[in-house]
Amino acid sequence: MLLVGFAVALVATAGLVTLHDEILKASFEQRDQAIQSWVHGFAQPVLTEVMRGLSWIGSPYMLVPAVTLAAGLMWWRRRKDNAVLVASAALGGVALDEVMKLHFKRLRPDVPWAFVHEHSFSFPSGHSVLAMVMYGVIVYKTHGRLRSKWAKSALVVGAVVMVAGIGVSRVYLGVHYPSDVLGGYFVGAVWLAAVIGSDMWVDAQRI
């Protein structure tokens, strides 16, 4: 089911071709750059450190060991389905991001004030893809186990804040255009829907 979901997600995200064609137009690119400059206008030392922290939280340096540890613990506690779900969600998100990057080959923003410099392609934002997928999975697997409405609300709000914060941090630091982040959210949301749909289908077969 996850393989089918991945294929569906790959086809669905092909719709980004239309968005990418719009991005390449001069008028859209000017708006993209204007938003990026507006975000940079809030730059100050403390905020920069916060944004660096958010970007680090959403980076492979944080996610790879975190996902490996989480999946390993789930497998050890005999929650093999959850372990497979978490690992597949992460690996699928990375794969989709890499495929899209190689397809679109959009260059990184060329701004003199960038706080971080990266050399991979820009569209879509991998941080945004994985933030949407992983925090979405956390909410999906945890929400139903919480009894308090306040706890459930805090979980959802916290996840939304983290996903949004990680995306904004990439624009703030100068390594992504706003449209890269939005594209990443779209890819992540499609893959997250495929992952959750596969898990729900498996559960339904057991009833």
Side-chain angles (χ1 to χ4, degrees):
M1 284 302 298
L2 282 171
L3 288 175
V4 172
F6 185 83
V8 172
L10 192 60
V11 172
T13 51
L16 284 176
V17 172
T18 302
L19 174 60
H20 191 256
D21 289 343
E22 289 296 318
I23 289 172
L24 293 179
K25 293 180 179 179
S27 58
F28 193 105
E29 188 172 356
Q30 288 173 359
R31 287 194 294 270
D32 227 9
Q33 292 172 347
I35 295 172
Q36 187 181 39
S37 297
W38 177 75
V39 172
H40 176 65
F42 293 94
Q44 53 180 302
V46 174
L47 184 57
T48 299
E49 292 307 310
V50 171
M51 291 299 171
R52 285 182 183 275
L54 286 169
S55 182
W56 180 78
I57 289 173
S59 71
Y61 303 106
M62 177 65 178
L63 285 176
V64 170
V67 170
T68 302
L69 178 60
L73 287 174
M74 289 175 184
W75 191 276
W76 180 63
R77 298 185 66 179
R78 298 183 179 179
R79 295 180 179 177
K80 295 183 178 181
D81 288 347
N82 288 344
V84 171
L85 182 74
V86 170
S88 299
L91 291 173
V94 171
L96 279 171
D97 174 59
E98 289 300 319
V99 169
M100 293 296 160
K101 275 184 165 60
L102 291 174
H103 175 75
F104 293 114
K105 297 181 179 179
R106 189 185 194 187
L107 298 179
R108 296 276 179 175
D110 184 14
V111 290
W113 49 261
F115 296 100
V116 177
H117 298 279
E118 296 185 10
H119 304 290
S120 59
F121 291 118
S122 184
F123 185 89
S125 163
H127 280 63
S128 301
V129 173
L130 290 176
M132 177 67 75
V133 172
M134 300 317 299
Y135 283 100
V137 168
I138 290 172
V139 171
Y140 167 64
K141 299 303 293 186
T142 307
H143 191 271
R145 299 187 179 188
L146 300 177
R147 296 181 180 180
S148 168
K149 292 183 178 180
W150 287 105
K152 291 181 177 181
S153 298
L155 174 67
V156 173
V157 171
V160 170
V161 169
M162 288 303 298
V163 172
I166 289 171
V168 170
S169 74
R170 303 302 284 167
V171 177
Y172 178 97
L173 295 173
V175 287
H176 278 297
Y177 295 105
S179 55
D180 296 336
V181 172
L182 292 178
Y185 287 155
F186 177 77
V187 173
V190 171
W191 175 233
L192 176 63
V195 170
I196 292 175
S198 298
D199 189 60
M200 294 177 67
W201 183 86
V202 171
D203 287 344
Q205 300 308 304
R206 292 173 176 168
I207 298 177

